[in-house]
Amino acid sequence: MPSGGSTQPVKNDPASLYSPAVGLVYLFNLIVGTGALTMPKAFASAGWLVSLILVVILAGISYVTATFVIETMASANGVRRWKKMQSRQSVQGRHLANEPDDQVANGDAAAVTAAVEHNEHTPLLDAMSLSGSSEDESRTSSRIFDITETIEMGQMADMFFSRVGITLFYICVIIYLFGDLAIYAAAVPKSLRDVACTYVDDTFNGTSCIQNLTESDPCWSSSKLTRMDVYRLFVVCFRHT
């Protein structure tokens, strides 16, 4: 996890690519989504008690999932930082190996030997080397997991999953995005249709006229467009926006 006192800027920050207006739309979509359109109906059907319990449970699951993602990103930053440290040590080792023999004899031989011993069998994150015996070393070891670089979920999957795991990860993402788009395509045009259509039938009792209407009823009294026609028009508009 990133240390509390770290103020290092995040590298490759995608936020710099979008305007504040676009960022506001993305933030609203992530926080609210389609829930604002469907939760009233869910509360009306399931009741206050059951609905509130489920909302609290889902909020807890979302919080735990968010902490998992943060911990994984911190681990990914640590892995990348550790690989860069090993790469620098390898370069320094090759540099020392090319020094004259008299410098190697004066004490550089041990450094060359240590650099050569770093191979693919060396642990990626050695617990012994990260433990640190002094306070400064311990502080340095904790900073290795600071989140200073934005790493996408697909990149983290490539780092930590096998080929099968990567395939399953992208299948889950595709299913999630398809379901999310299907919900938007159904809920948003339907809500817009219900707001735009003003036709009421003779059975209107002043409380819930929409429940008494069918998809073949006109959307407006002076129009031949049915409620289904208007719904399809909103679907097309939603598709091309």
Side-chain angles (χ1 to χ4, degrees):
M1 294 294 291
S3 60
S6 176
T7 58
Q8 297 178 353
V10 177
K11 299 178 182 179
N12 304 326
D13 189 2
S16 60
L17 304 177
Y18 304 104
S19 64
V22 175
L24 180 62
V25 172
Y26 283 149
L27 184 63
F28 179 82
N29 178 45
L30 290 174
I31 296 177
V32 179
T34 58
L37 302 174
T38 58
M39 285 186 67
K41 176 64 176 178
F43 269 72
S45 301
W48 284 98
L49 181 59
V50 176
S51 300
L52 287 175
I53 292 175
L54 291 177
V55 167
V56 171
I57 293 175
L58 293 176
I61 295 175
S62 299
Y63 173 78
V64 173
T65 303
T67 59
F68 285 165
V69 173
I70 294 173
E71 291 177 359
T72 305
M73 186 173 292
S75 299
N77 273 261
V79 169
R80 283 193 173 183
R81 192 171 291 111
W82 189 253
K83 285 183 177 180
K84 291 178 181 179
M85 293 169 57
Q86 287 185 325
S87 178
R88 286 196 296 267
Q89 292 176 356
S90 177
V91 171
Q92 293 174 356
R94 288 195 298 269
H95 175 72
L96 292 174
N98 294 328
E99 290 291 332
D101 294 338
D102 56 345
Q103 295 185 9
V104 174
N106 290 333
D108 290 338
V112 174
T113 303
V116 172
E117 289 178 353
H118 283 285
N119 52 33
E120 66 272 12
H121 300 292
T122 302
L124 195 58
L125 292 176
D126 191 353
M128 295 298 295
S129 62
L130 291 178
S131 60
S133 58
S134 64
E135 183 178 355
D136 292 338
E137 291 177 347
S138 179
R139 189 181 299 110
T140 302
S141 299
S142 64
R143 286 200 301 267
I144 196 173
F145 294 104
D146 285 351
I147 300 178
T148 58
E149 183 178 358
T150 301
I151 303 176
E152 300 295 336
M153 294 184 65
Q155 294 175 312
M156 291 189 288
D158 292 335
M159 294 174 64
F160 300 121
F161 289 164
S162 62
R163 184 179 298 273
V164 176
I166 294 173
T167 302
L168 293 177
F169 168 78
Y170 282 108
I171 290 176
C172 292
V173 171
I174 292 172
I175 294 175
Y176 164 75
L177 293 177
F178 178 81
D180 198 29
L181 180 61
I183 294 174
Y184 272 104
V188 174
K190 183 177 183 300
S191 299
L192 293 175
R193 188 274 310 272
D194 292 341
V195 172
C197 292
T198 59
Y199 171 79
V200 293
D201 59 6
D202 298 334
T203 62
F204 173 60
N205 55 12
T207 57
S208 58
C209 63
I210 293 181
Q211 294 182 1
N212 299 324
L213 297 174
T214 63
E215 301 297 337
S216 59
D217 288 332
C219 185
W220 300 283
S221 301
S222 59
S223 175
K224 295 183 179 180
L225 292 174
T226 64
R227 293 169 58 84
M228 178 57 70
D229 294 334
V230 176
Y231 169 77
R232 289 169 178 168
L233 289 176
F234 280 123
V235 170
V236 173
C237 294
F238 175 81
R239 169 64 179 80
H240 293 283
T241 55

